[in-house]
Amino acid sequence: MLSKKCKYAIHALVYLAERHEQGPVQIQDISDDQHIPKKFLEAILLELRHAKILESKKGKGGGYYLIKDPSEVNLMQVMRLIDGPIALLPCVSLNYYERCDECRNEKTCGIRDSLVHVRDETLKILGNSTLAKIVKREKSLKTK
Amino acid sequence: MLSKKCKYAIHALVYLAERHEQGPVQIQDISDDQHIPKKFLEAILLELRHAKILESKKGKGGGYYLIKDPSEVNLMQVMRLIDGPIALLPCVSLNYYERCDECRNEKTCGIRDSLVHVRDETLKILGNSTLAKIVKREKSLKTK
DNA sequence: TTATTAGTCTACTTATTAAGTAGAGAATCA
DNA sequence: TGATTCTCTACTTAATAAGTAGACTAATAA
């Protein structure tokens, strides 16, 4: 399961993607609209800024804005950044690999195979889910 | 990520599947062989018994054994039993559905679509990963 | 140049869940 | 009857998630 933090991050990014190239958006606005505790959201946006997905401006008229095109930011990146590994076990993770303490022999572990498969399918879908696509989908759902 | 508990459950089940129809296996044996804390393993096996996957026998010569064919037990069942939902959000879970507090309108949420897709692909793979297949795979890996 | 606005950042607190343990009890067998 | 092995409730401890406080810095505009 995704953490609330990650869910918040995604919703905030979608919100910013909808307002891409329309100037900075204040934390307070996102917090109000998306029902995310402001202080918590601050920390999340800061993390996204450090990851060079967002940039910010201080002072009056300031706020946060995307510095990547919405078509270049996808759910895989965001989930990895906020929640860490996408794989179901550390020993099948590409970005956060760790040995299993239990398995004496990783090579002969019959479970890994299925989980590698799950990981690959998941990455394919999440990597293909860009903010641009999500915004587009929401628009089409709303006009129905 | 899977919990340790779930990982333990899977390893214990694979161990028992390898010894299917060879009589009861003691908790201590599984614990020793798979490096699982005995008391913790007791609780896990009990849960699997309550789910009618295992049965047990008390007293001398007792222990646990599978009461389903290894081809009828898969990772989807075990993960759902031990860890709960497989979906990445409660609002896309088939067996553990819950409304999202944040999303005002689930119908127009552009994120769900991708996560439904991830869920379906994951279920397909996990549902297809039976104990029988895992045991077979381990055997073939070991003889290499 | 000062007041105001808005993000920055460290250091918390609190709540929840995961992981593991203790120990008395019940069934089975020799 | 006594040893063996699972049963089950009730813990403890550790880790992580979720949320908060407050002082600080940068930008803007009167």
Side-chain angles (χ1 to χ4, degrees):
Chain A
M1 282 275 184
L2 298 188
S3 65
K4 283 198 162 197
K5 189 176 173 188
C6 189
K7 206 163 30 159
Y8 291 157
I10 296 169
H11 281 295
L13 284 169
V14 170
Y15 189 85
L16 288 172
E18 280 171 1
R19 289 154 185 79
H20 186 47
E21 295 186 325
Q22 295 175 24
V25 178
Q26 288 172 35
I27 298 178
Q28 190 67 61
D29 288 350
I30 308 176
S31 162
D32 290 344
D33 192 86
Q34 297 294 310
H35 308 127
I36 305 172
K38 190 185 170 204
K39 270 295 188 179
F40 199 15
L41 181 58
E42 279 182 13
I44 294 167
L45 294 176
L46 208 52
E47 236 173 294
L48 293 168
R49 188 180 73 102
H50 288 150
K52 312 245 187 275
I53 294 173
L54 300 180
E55 193 42 89
S56 65
K57 209 172 156 245
K58 289 183 183 174
K60 182 144 198 178
Y64 274 98
Y65 51 96
L66 270 174
I67 48 170
K68 286 188 195 267
D69 192 87
S71 66
E72 284 172 349
V73 181
N74 61 54
L75 295 185
M76 177 184 77
Q77 296 160 344
V78 181
M79 289 185 193
R80 276 189 174 146
L81 181 69
I82 305 291
D83 278 352
I86 298 216
L88 291 172
L89 285 183
C91 66
V92 297
S93 170
L94 293 172
N95 283 243
Y96 296 84
Y97 174 84
E98 252 177 81
R99 261 193 93 259
C100 276
D101 336 308
E102 294 79 33
C103 312
R104 271 108 358 124
N105 192 349
E106 199 172 274
K107 302 266 184 318
T108 66
C109 174
I111 302 167
R112 299 184 78 245
D113 211 64
S114 302
L115 299 187
V116 164
H117 194 180
V118 169
R119 178 201 69 196
D120 289 341
E121 287 301 312
T122 303
L123 287 179
K124 201 189 293 174
I125 299 165
L126 295 179
N128 201 27
S129 301
T130 65
L131 296 182
K133 285 183 186 172
I134 293 170
V135 168
K136 199 176 156 195
R137 196 181 297 142
E138 299 213 333
K139 273 187 189 152
S140 88
L141 285 170
K142 271 174 191 156
T143 55
K144 263 181 195 162
Chain B
M1 282 273 184
L2 298 188
S3 66
K4 283 199 163 198
K5 190 176 173 189
C6 189
K7 205 162 33 158
Y8 291 158
I10 296 168
H11 282 294
L13 283 169
V14 170
Y15 189 86
L16 288 171
E18 280 170 2
R19 287 153 188 78
H20 185 46
E21 294 185 326
Q22 294 175 25
V25 179
Q26 288 170 37
I27 298 177
Q28 190 68 61
D29 288 350
I30 308 176
S31 161
D32 290 346
D33 192 85
Q34 296 294 309
H35 307 126
I36 305 173
K38 190 185 169 203
K39 271 293 188 181
F40 199 15
L41 181 58
E42 279 183 12
I44 294 167
L45 295 176
L46 208 52
E47 235 172 296
L48 292 168
R49 188 179 73 102
H50 289 149
K52 311 245 188 277
I53 294 173
L54 300 180
E55 194 40 271
S56 66
K57 211 173 155 238
K58 289 180 183 177
K60 184 146 195 176
Y64 273 99
Y65 52 96
L66 269 175
I67 49 169
K68 286 189 194 264
D69 192 87
S71 66
E72 285 171 350
V73 181
N74 63 53
L75 296 185
M76 179 184 74
Q77 296 160 343
V78 182
M79 288 185 193
R80 276 190 173 146
L81 181 69
I82 305 291
D83 277 353
I86 298 212
L88 292 172
L89 286 183
C91 67
V92 296
S93 171
L94 292 173
N95 284 244
Y96 297 83
Y97 173 85
E98 253 177 80
R99 261 195 92 260
C100 274
D101 335 310
E102 294 79 34
C103 312
R104 271 109 356 127
N105 191 348
E106 200 172 272
K107 302 265 182 322
T108 64
C109 174
I111 301 167
R112 298 184 78 245
D113 210 66
S114 302
L115 298 187
V116 164
H117 193 182
V118 168
R119 178 202 69 195
D120 290 341
E121 286 301 311
T122 302
L123 287 179
K124 201 188 294 173
I125 299 166
L126 294 179
N128 201 28
S129 301
T130 65
L131 295 182
K133 285 185 186 172
I134 293 170
V135 168
K136 198 176 158 196
R137 197 181 295 141
E138 297 212 336
K139 274 187 188 150
S140 89
L141 285 169
K142 271 175 189 153
T143 54
K144 264 182 193 160

